[in-house]
């Protein structure tokens, strides 16, 4: 084992949510979309397959980039595609953070950032949210060797947001780039994509896994100043997205009707879920994402999680036990379809 780098030996590795295969269950533990993707994708996929897969794909995914540039009204050279946004996050970390250097992230938030720092042999610096999921001034302070800061917005597991004004102020204060991970921004009332024009140090990442119902496709992208994109291109795998996924993702971006109606359905269900969960007795955090963070001062949430699991209902039970300022044990429940939520709420009611 001594031939393995020490940082790899010592890191625990990122553990994704359970992905049960086969059988029937209600899966509301990894914030996937409960609805099938746009029916237009089948044809796009088939057309790409018919063109043949004997040649390598377009390294830059030009079709997708063009479509994204139109959608966000930015020049094409502000975009780069990735094999899921986790691929993009890996590329950004490798570009900016070297061994012994520092990567900043809020806590509690997306646990993967810490694993990415560990892969680099870098330090991660967790800045704790206050008890209302607000950032403290510490997040904006300079620090020796600080090379990159991550901010998921909306945040996971809370579903809370930091305002555009605050993000601009943070970017101005920080001595390094600030990555806004917008995995859930399509469920929010605002996003920060256009801020890349106002401050070069703002970099925005996106995924098609959640709001486009394409977690199984693996497709994401980054929006950043072309000077940064030029560096990321050197770091990424040459062919990080395959020909089928580029074709399908491009068509998904084009079908605005599917997208708008899906987002509307999820927001509706989210509002209903929130009021019913409160009625049952949970404390919920107002969500700008496709999941709801539920806590309770007394109940044993792990028991609820296990009870639901025994009935083939998968929610995420999370414990952020290092959180000095708030209650870090909770259930993160993804917004499923209405019939799924009926069953889940009914089961939880039975439990009490
Ligand atoms: C789901 C998620 C991602 C990863 O998305 P993929 O494109 O599926 O890799 C990134 N960031 C956050 C905060 C997420 O919740």
């Amino acid at each position: 084992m001594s031939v393995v780098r020490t940082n790899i030996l010592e890191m625990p590795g990122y553990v994704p949510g359970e992905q049960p295969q086969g059988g029937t269950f209600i899966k509301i533990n990894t914030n996937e979309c409960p609805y099938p993707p746009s029916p237009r994708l089948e044809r796009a996929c088939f057309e790409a397959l018919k063109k043949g897969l004997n040649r390598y794909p377009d390294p830059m995914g030009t079709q997708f980039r063009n479509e994204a540039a139109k959608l966000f009204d930015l020049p094409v050279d502000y975009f780069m595609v990735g094999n899921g946004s986790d691929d993009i996050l890996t590329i950004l970390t490798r570009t900016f953070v070297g061994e012994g250097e520092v990567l900043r992230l809020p806590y509690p938030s997306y646990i993967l950032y810490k694993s990415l720092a560990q892969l680099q042999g870098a330090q991660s610096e967790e800045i704790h949210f206050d008890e209302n999921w607000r950032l403290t001034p510490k997040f904006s302070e300079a620090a020796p060797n600080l090379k990159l800061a991550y901010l998921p917005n909306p945040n996971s597991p809370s579903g809370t947001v930091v305002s555009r004004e605050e993000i601009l102020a943070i970017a101005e204060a920080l001595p390094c780039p600030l990555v806004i991970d917008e995995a859930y921004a399509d469920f929010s009332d605002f996003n920060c994509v256009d801020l890349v024009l106002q401050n070069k140090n703002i970099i925005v990442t996106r995924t098609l896994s959640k709001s486009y119902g394409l977690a199984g496709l693996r497709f994401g992208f980054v929006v950043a100043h072309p000077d940064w994109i030029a560096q990321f291109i050197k770091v990424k795998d040459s062919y990080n997205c395959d020909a089928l996924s580029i074709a399908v993702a491009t068509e998904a971006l084009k079908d605005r009707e599917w997208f708008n109606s899906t987002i509307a359905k999820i927001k509706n269900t989210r509002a209903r879920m929130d009021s019913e969960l409160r009625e049952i007795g949970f404390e919920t955090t107002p969500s700008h994402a496709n999941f709801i963070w539920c806590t309770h001062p007394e109940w044993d949430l792990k028991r609820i999680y296990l009870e639901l699991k025994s009935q083939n209902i998968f929610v995420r039970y999370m414990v952020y036990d290092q959180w000095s300022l708030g209650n870090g044990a909770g259930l993160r429940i993804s917004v499923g379809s209405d019939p799924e939520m009926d069953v889940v709420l009914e089961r939880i009611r039975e439990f009490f």
Side-chain angles (χ1 to χ4, degrees):
M1 291 295 271
S2 61
V3 292
V4 176
R5 291 161 64 211
T6 318
N7 54 316
I8 306 298
L9 276 178
E10 286 174 356
M11 68 182 277
Y14 178 72
V15 183
E18 292 158 282
Q19 306 295 344
Q21 308 288 329
T24 45
F25 29 73
I26 295 179
K27 189 173 178 307
I28 41 177
N29 65 338
T30 51
N31 304 336
E32 291 140 321
C33 178
Y35 304 107
S38 157
R40 285 168 48 176
L41 306 190
E42 271 179 41
R43 190 191 178 91
C45 186
F46 186 63
E47 294 293 325
L49 187 58
K50 265 204 311 196
K51 267 189 216 153
L53 295 177
N54 53 318
R55 304 290 180 198
Y56 282 109
D58 173 1
M60 289 303 292
T62 309
Q63 306 175 38
F64 181 90
R65 260 183 133 190
N66 286 337
E67 202 55 40
K70 263 198 278 174
L71 183 62
F72 291 100
D73 195 22
L74 283 171
V76 166
D77 53 0
Y78 274 76
F79 296 85
M80 189 184 84
V81 297
N83 183 28
S85 71
D86 286 351
D87 178 37
I88 296 288
L89 300 175
T90 303
I91 294 165
L92 303 187
T93 310
R94 290 170 70 202
T95 302
F96 293 111
V97 191
E99 199 171 332
E101 295 178 334
V102 177
L103 183 155
R104 179 173 288 173
L105 59 146
Y107 182 89
S109 81
Y110 193 34
I111 297 158
L112 179 75
Y113 308 136
K114 194 171 175 171
S115 305
L116 295 175
Q118 288 165 339
L119 284 173
Q120 294 303 100
Q123 304 295 315
S124 44
E125 182 197 19
E126 294 176 325
I127 309 288
H128 291 208
F129 278 110
D130 75 9
E131 75 277 16
N132 295 315
W133 298 96
R134 277 191 294 257
L135 288 174
T136 62
K138 216 165 177 267
F139 195 84
S140 313
E141 283 170 14
N145 271 325
L146 176 64
K147 298 298 175 180
L148 189 64
Y150 276 117
L151 181 63
N153 204 47
N155 185 50
S156 171
S158 59
T160 50
V161 283
V162 172
S163 72
R164 283 165 55 93
E165 295 69 32
E166 201 178 339
I167 283 169
L168 269 175
I170 295 167
E172 245 135 67
L174 281 175
C176 64
L178 171 66
V179 177
I180 310 299
D181 179 346
E182 291 199 339
Y184 302 105
D186 287 327
F187 305 104
S188 159
D189 299 330
F190 69 93
N191 68 70
C192 294
V193 170
D194 64 298
L195 298 187
V196 300
L197 294 174
Q198 285 193 50
N199 188 320
K200 185 177 169 180
N201 272 350
I202 294 180
I203 294 171
V204 176
T205 64
R206 286 289 183 108
T207 176
L208 273 67
S209 295
K210 278 72 186 233
S211 52
Y212 288 86
L214 292 173
L217 186 74
R218 311 306 305 133
F219 208 91
F221 60 102
V222 56
V223 193
H225 190 281
D227 289 352
W228 297 138
I229 297 284
Q231 302 307 312
F232 304 154
I233 291 170
K234 295 187 225 167
V235 177
K236 82 177 186 77
D237 287 351
S238 308
Y239 308 109
N240 59 334
C241 296
D242 63 85
L244 298 181
S245 75
I246 293 167
V248 171
T250 307
E251 191 62 23
L253 228 52
K254 285 184 183 167
D255 192 347
R256 302 321 294 165
E257 204 177 277
W258 182 93
F259 177 83
N260 292 329
S261 81
T262 302
I263 298 292
K265 279 190 278 189
I266 289 171
K267 284 182 174 173
N268 268 330
T269 310
R270 177 178 76 192
R272 180 198 140 201
M273 243 173 97
D274 185 73
S275 65
E276 296 197 30
L277 286 165
R278 281 168 174 275
E279 217 174 87
I280 292 171
F282 286 104
E283 287 169 5
T284 62
T285 309
S287 174
H288 300 257
N290 65 338
F291 53 82
I292 295 181
W293 177 245
C294 313
T295 57
H296 198 279
E298 287 140 36
W299 297 346
D300 181 353
L301 298 178
K302 187 169 187 186
R303 270 187 60 208
I304 300 177
Y305 154 75
L306 288 171
E307 179 65 23
L308 289 172
K309 187 173 159 174
S310 74
Q311 305 188 32
N312 276 348
I313 298 170
F314 290 78
V315 300
R316 195 79 169 262
Y317 170 65
M318 294 174 133
V319 183
Y320 292 93
D321 51 8
Q322 307 296 308
W323 196 14
S324 50
L325 303 172
N327 176 9
L331 298 178
R332 195 194 65 187
I333 306 181
S334 310
V335 178
S337 66
D338 279 313
E340 283 176 331
M341 297 329 300
D342 288 339
V343 174
V344 175
L345 292 163
E346 163 103 16
R347 290 294 139 77
I348 296 178
R349 279 196 195 95
E350 279 167 17
F351 188 67
F352 291 104

